Amino acid sequence: MFLKIIYNYIVGFVNITVEGFFVERFINNCITNKIFLWGIKRKNSTLLTVNINIKNFRNIRTIAQKTKCKIKINSKKGLPIIMHKYRKRKFR
C-alpha cells in the first residue's frame, strides 16, 4: 500500500469532482477503458470526488461528454506538478 502511494506521488495525480446524473455510468465507462480511479467518495446523488492519474486525465474528457457529466479539478499533486511549478527557477 505504501509503495502504491509513493508511485502515485511520483507519477502525479489529480483530485477531481464529477457532477451529473449518470456518475455510475461514468465510473463504469472508466473501468471498461482501463482507467484506474481511487479514493471515490460520494457527496450526494449527483456529486462524486475521485483521484485519477495525470496520464489518464486526458482520456476522461470523452467519457464525461458521453455520460453528460461535468468535471472540475480540485487539486493537483505529485512530482510532475512541483517540477512544472519550478521549471524556470535556477538552483544553486
Side-chain angles (χ1 to χ4, degrees):
M1 184 69 182
F2 184 69
L3 293 174
K4 192 178 261 188
I5 293 170
I6 291 174
Y7 174 75
N8 288 328
Y9 185 77
I10 290 171
V11 174
F13 65 95
V14 180
N15 185 343
I16 61 172
T17 301
V18 180
E19 184 177 1
F21 291 109
F22 304 110
V23 290
E24 293 88 3
R25 187 181 292 172
F26 175 80
I27 294 171
N28 289 335
N29 285 340
C30 287
I31 291 170
T32 56
N33 290 329
K34 295 183 172 74
I35 297 174
F36 181 65
L37 305 172
W38 74 95
I40 300 172
K41 295 179 184 173
R42 187 174 206 139
K43 300 226 175 176
N44 57 29
S45 63
T46 61
L47 197 65
L48 189 74
T49 59
V50 173
N51 292 331
I52 190 166
N53 194 345
I54 288 177
K55 293 179 183 177
N56 294 329
F57 180 71
R58 294 180 181 159
N59 299 334
I60 64 168
R61 183 176 173 191
T62 57
I63 296 171
Q65 289 175 352
K66 287 179 184 177
T67 58
K68 299 177 183 172
C69 293
K70 294 181 182 179
I71 297 173
K72 180 183 172 188
I73 298 174
N74 294 335
S75 64
K76 301 175 189 176
K77 297 181 183 176
L79 195 60
I81 308 305
I82 295 171
M83 296 299 286
H84 183 73
K85 184 178 177 181
Y86 295 113
R87 71 182 184 274
K88 292 191 177 182
R89 298 213 175 199
K90 295 181 181 178
F91 292 105
R92 295 182 190 195

